Structure formats: structure tokens, C-alpha cells
Amino acid sequence: MNGNQAVQNWVAEMAKLTKPDHIVWLDGSEAEKNRLIREGVSTGELHELDQQQLPGCYLHRTAVNDVARVEQLTFICTTQKSEAGPTNNWMAPAEAYARLGKIFAGAMQGRTMYVVPYLMGPPGSPFTKVGIELTDSIYVVLNMRIMTRMGKSAWDELGDSGDFVKGLHSKADLNIERRFICHFPEDNTIWSVGSGYGGNVLLGKKCFALRIASYMGRQQGWMAEHMLILGLRNPKGETAYIAAAFPSACGKTNLAMLVPPAALAGYEVFTVGDDIAWMRIGEDGRLWAMNPEAGFFGVAPGTSMKTNPNAMQTVQRNTIFTNVLHTPENTVWWEGMGVEPPSHGIDWQGRPWTPASGERGAHPNSRFTAPACQCPSISPEWENPQGVPISAIVFGGRRAKVAPLVYQSFDWDHGVFVGATMGSETTAAAAGAVGVVRRDPMAMLPFCGYNMADYFAFWLEMGKRIPNPPKIFNVNWFRTDQQGNFIWPGYGENLRVLAWILARCRGEVGAVESPIGYLPCLDDIDTTGLDISQETIATLLQVDAESWREEVEDQAAFFTKFGDRLPRQITGQYQALFRRFAF
Ligand code: GTP
Ligand code: SPV
Ligand code: MN
């Protein structure tokens, strides 16, 4: 037990509601981890994988209807509905506490409530915040133990203070009719019930580090963003840091762990974070970013030694796999792993599977949870309490058409507009249709804890406050040809685009002005050692006025949602874009 009175009162109150048989206060020790693993294995919640090949690795399967974030069941519960804005689901706080309170009532009977103290950020950093999650799931505890700094260091950081984010989670009966993920930013509180899946239940991640933190950050003058952070060292030995926002399952983990192609030897990429960045203005007038997480909750399918060797090496030990295929060798497999499938196995739904069945062995949103410190490309700066200085912000989406491979915004305000108009094809990371283009500003549509119009205003305001702001770019690795094949090789080859971005930041290379921003000159994307024609590069960089007309109309339709609250600079940017195209 912990002596902090505020914590004790709150835990007692939540226990009174949920009625667990036992309450276990966690300290984050190895002995505690081993005890929890043993218990998880004995109940079948975890499956122990072959410990010779995959030491410390376990497999977990979630309920079949519980495999992704559920945006329709995710709510921002502010007193004013307008504070949540038109892109969030809203429920009045009193109503949400009452509705969820009924589901939570007695939900932990016959179970143990774990008190999980954790830090978002390294101990002693000005960025760092404390959270406590109460959960009845061992799977959640073990994941939180990887994804955050969990245990004693959080109690130490908290001391006697009542300043922590209160998270309550119960699997309850895993009934989708009784599943809710509610955020109370005015109370620093998160209530999540009826799910056992990743982003719905690892409350430090999307719920705290993005939704609650974005709300805090606006009040306190810092940013919480759905961004990877990487360090890029050029052949001269100069390292610059890039933060990049892509929607879920659109390539953040892959870019953060990029291995440069052999032909561009001399470059090196260092991983600082793969999903979330907290950013604040440093005393030197630059924007500094920190990764608040301690692990990766990465998409398994498509991860192979060819596409992402750093991730493959990271997940060889101490990793929890969720909803992948279980092989007869007692190991794991997924589509796009780059090795032959086993002759048979148990699929993500727990059913017998063979390659001939034509069904997926691993769920498209199956995941690995692995400690960041195991990543071969981890940056020596990744736990620097000051964070790292950001030279470039990159936005990007999954667009078969329209968006070129890369372009640079004219300035900060235009860059905010580029971020605000991001569109991307939906993926399996959230429940619902896949492959439909939707507007996803700054990749934050599902994660912004307040009205997005105010979020745009906050970005614009930050631009005025950062004396030396990062340059802003947009990328798209996902252009396809008539047959639907990707025309850009992607993955490690994306370094060629990062190299241009870095050169632009350093003022070392020119650009062509287009209606949407600065494009690279054809020769300035280094294609050494790459089998790609200049025509293809030209296609990748094409800005087709006709398809942009439709794009701009769709952007305008999205913006009308915000009514008068939309900052006039955004409208001004829109009008200027329209004029530059002379539609
Ligand atoms: P979240 O964890 O959901 O936030 O996702 P993420 O943005 O980190 O995405 P991730 O890097 O895990 O990539 C998701 C999928 O996109 C995987 O199946 C990758 O193989 C695929 N992908 C990533 N980068 C590229 C690329 O450059 N080109 C192509 N074609 N696919 C890519
Ligand atoms: C995402 O969906 O953007 C993720 C996975 O990073 S989850 O933690 O489930 O949100
Ligand atoms: Mn994410």
C-alpha cells in the first residue's frame, strides 16, 4: 500500500464501487512480474511461448469482438458539449459517471484490483506526469509494465501530491453493448469498461498521453501529439530530430526504426519514440520533444526482417504478442512476416488454421508490446529529461492518389493548415470500415481531448510563441498505380525523402513552388541504387489540379463542421490555396 492520502481515498472509493475480492498495490519489481505471469499463464489469459526461441515472450488473444479501438464508444465528458467539439462523442460528466457507474458496480467481484502507478516520461523530467490505473486485468498490468515506467519510481515522483491522472478499468463482461471509454479532462479522470484491447485499456497511452494530455497541454502551453520522434544523422555527422504524425497503422513505428538503404551509407536513424510526442518550448527558443512511453505497442502484420529489422529484433524477448497466429513450434507468425507460414496453427480467434484456408492467421491489427530499450536503433537521447530539439514536423497519410510523395509548407501557419487538412484511408487500428478516405487532422481525430477548432487555434498560437519553430512537411508513402500497387518502395527507402527534408531544414537545397507548397526538384530526391525511373518520381511528385479540386472541396466540407469556432487563419489559408490553383 502507498501512504499518499489522495491515492488511498480514491482507491477505497473505486473499490467500494467495483467490489474486488483483493486489492494488490504494485511496485514494478521483477518478482512481482514473475508472479503475475505465473498467474496469467495458469488462468489461460497468457500463453507461454517457447522460452528458448522467445525468452520472456507470451501470447494473448482478446475477445473476437474486441480487437481494436472503438471510436464510436469513446467519449469526451466535459461540462460544455461545445468543449468536446463536433469531431468527438460527448457525454455530460454526471451522466457518464452514472451510466458507467452502473456497469462498474460490482464488476470486480471474484477478481483482484491491481493498483498500477506509472510515469509518462522519464523520472525527474519537466515533461513527466504521474498516472494510476486500477484494473482487473493481468494482461493490462503486464502491458503497462512495458509501455510505461511502472511501480516505485511513480510513487516516488508522486510523493504526497494529489496531482495524478486517475484511470479506472474493468473488463466487466467484455460486452460490446456495455463498453465505454470515457475521459473527464476537467477531473483528470479516465473510465474504461467492457474492453480488454490495447488503446481502450492501456490508459497511459491514447487516453492519458493524448486525450487528457492534449487538454492539459493547451492550458499549460505544451503539445501532446500522435507523433513518432527520430534522430537523423547525415554523412557529415550532424544529427537533427524529426517528429512525424501519421494516422494509426500508417507507418510511424516503421519510420521511427528506419534502416537506411546501403546506397545511402553514412546516414543513420535513431529511434526516440514511435507513437506519442510531448513537446514544449525550450529556453533556446526551439521546440523540444519527449517520448512519454517506455515501450512499443506495434502493428505485427507487415513487420519483417526486410521491412523493419529493428522491430523484429526488438520483439525476440520480453514481448507480449496479441492476436497473432500461434505456430506448432510454440512461436508466433503473422502475414507479411517474410517467412513461410507454418503448415498449420491456431489463428487469432483460437481456431485451427492452415495457409490453404485463405483466412487470416493474425488479425490485421494484431500487435506486439516490447520494451523500447531493446530496440537496436534506440537513440542515446531517448530518455533525456529535456527531450530532443525538433527541426522538422512531418504530417502524412495513406493516400492512393492526390497527395505527392513530399512537399514543404510555405511557413508555420500554412503548415498548420496542411496538418489540419490531412486525409487518410482508414485502417484496421480502429473498428469500422477500412480503406475509406477520412479527414484526420494531425492524425489526432480520434485522440484530441477537446474541440478541434480550438486545437487548430492552439497550433497557430504555438507558432507565434516558438521563436525558432520547426519547418513543416507532408509525406505520402502510399501512392498506387492503376493496378493498386504501391509505386514508392517505402520503408528504408523513405530515408531518401527524410534526407531532402533535412537538407531543406539546413537550407542546403532548393525547391519548386507549387500551389500546395514547395516540391523537390526531380534530381533532388537521391535515387542512387534504387530501381526507379524519373517518370515514376515525376508521377510521385505530381500535383494534379483536377484531383486537388475535389480534395479542396472535401476539406471545406470538413471545416464547415466547426462553424464560427474555426480560426480565421484556417479559412484564410483555404482561400489562398483556392486562389493559387485558380480553380
Ligand atoms: P499505430 O501503432 O497504429 O499508431 O501505427 P503506426 O503509424 O506506427 O504504423 P506502423 O509503422 O506499424 O505501420 C502500419 C502498417 O503500414 C504496417 O503493416 C506496415 O508494414 C505498413 N507500412 C509502414 N511503412 C510503410 C511504407 O513506407 N510503405 C508501405 N507500403 N507500407 C508501410
Ligand atoms: C493506434 O491505434 O494509433 C495505436 C494502437 O497506436 S492503440 O494503442 O490501440 O491505440
Ligand atoms: Mn498510434
Side-chain angles (χ1 to χ4, degrees), residues 289-357:
M290 186 222 39
N291 168 17
E293 301 191 281
F296 309 124
F297 184 62
V299 177
T303 307
S304 69
M305 281 310 284
K306 190 155 165 267
T307 58
N308 192 345
N310 284 316
M312 287 304 276
Q313 287 177 60
T314 307
V315 303
Q316 296 308 306
R317 58 204 154 93
N318 307 321
T319 297
I320 301 172
F321 296 95
T322 304
N323 295 337
V324 298
L325 183 90
H326 189 199
T327 75
E329 271 192 71
N330 198 16
T331 59
V332 292
W333 182 87
W334 50 77
E335 283 76 8
M337 196 191 215
V339 296
E340 287 298 304
S343 61
H344 63 281
I346 306 292
D347 74 3
W348 64 274
Q349 305 189 52
R351 305 176 310 184
W353 176 93
T354 62
S357 69

Side-chain angles (χ1 to χ4, degrees), residues 205-206 210 226 246-249 252 274-275 367 447:
K205 195 172 177 59
K206 297 297 158 77
L210 289 179
H226 193 201
F246 309 155
S248 303
K252 290 184 297 301
D274 83 324
D275 198 48
R367 299 250 167 186
F447 308 119

Side-chain angles (χ1 to χ4, degrees), residues 248-254 275 299 301 367 398 478 486 490-491 494:
S248 303
C250 290
K252 290 184 297 301
T253 302
N254 278 272
D275 198 48
V299 177
R367 299 250 167 186
R398 190 180 274 274
F478 299 94
F486 294 120
Y491 300 103
N494 294 336

Side-chain angles (χ1 to χ4, degrees), residues 36-37 39-40 45-46 114 136-143:
L36 291 169
I37 288 175
E39 187 171 342
E45 195 172 340
L46 292 177
Y114 297 99
D136 56 7
S137 160
I138 287 183
Y139 170 75
V140 168
V141 173
L142 292 171
N143 273 274

